[in-house]
């Protein structure tokens, strides 16, 4: 939890600093620093949803391939003896 809090503080500071340096306005810097992380949080939620679907598809393919490759291999094994 400490890591999350320190990251949030750092994120706020970076967003504020960049916006302030670009605009010269403390108000705009503060607004960007508050709004950007909120929008980023929502975007991250959807990003995670997409990645979970991608990972589920990969696991499905992996499971199918694993079942195909783990099936016993049957070969024609004709054995003939010379007399």
């Amino acid at each position: 939890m400490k890591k999350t809090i320190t990251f949030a503080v750092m994120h706020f500071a970076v967003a504020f600093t960049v916006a302030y340096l670009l605009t010269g306005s403390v108000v705009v810097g503060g607004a960007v620093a508050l709004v950007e992380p909120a929008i980023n949080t929502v975007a991250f939620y959807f990003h995670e949803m997409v990645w979970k679907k991608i990972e589920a598809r990969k696991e499905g393919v992996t499971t199918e391939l694993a079942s195909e490759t783990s099936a016993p291999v049957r070969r024609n094994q004709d054995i003939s003896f010379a007399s």
Side-chain angles (χ1 to χ4, degrees):
M1 185 65 162
K2 289 179 185 179
K3 184 177 178 182
T4 301
I5 292 169
T6 59
F7 181 78
V9 170
M10 183 189 68
H11 191 158
F12 177 85
V14 169
F16 175 82
T17 303
V18 170
Y20 175 73
L21 290 174
L22 290 174
T23 65
S25 170
V26 173
V27 173
V28 172
V32 168
L34 291 174
V35 172
E36 189 274 334
I39 292 171
N40 205 5
T41 300
V42 173
F44 182 76
Y45 171 78
F46 290 108
H47 178 265
E48 283 297 302
M49 285 178 48
V50 170
W51 272 106
K52 285 182 181 179
K53 288 181 181 179
I54 291 170
E55 288 172 347
R57 285 184 188 161
K58 283 184 179 179
E59 287 176 5
V61 169
T62 303
T63 303
E64 288 172 13
L65 290 176
S67 65
E68 288 176 11
T69 57
S70 63
V73 177
R74 296 182 184 169
R75 297 182 182 148
N76 262 345
Q77 295 182 354
D78 292 332
I79 300 174
S80 57
F81 296 97
S83 45

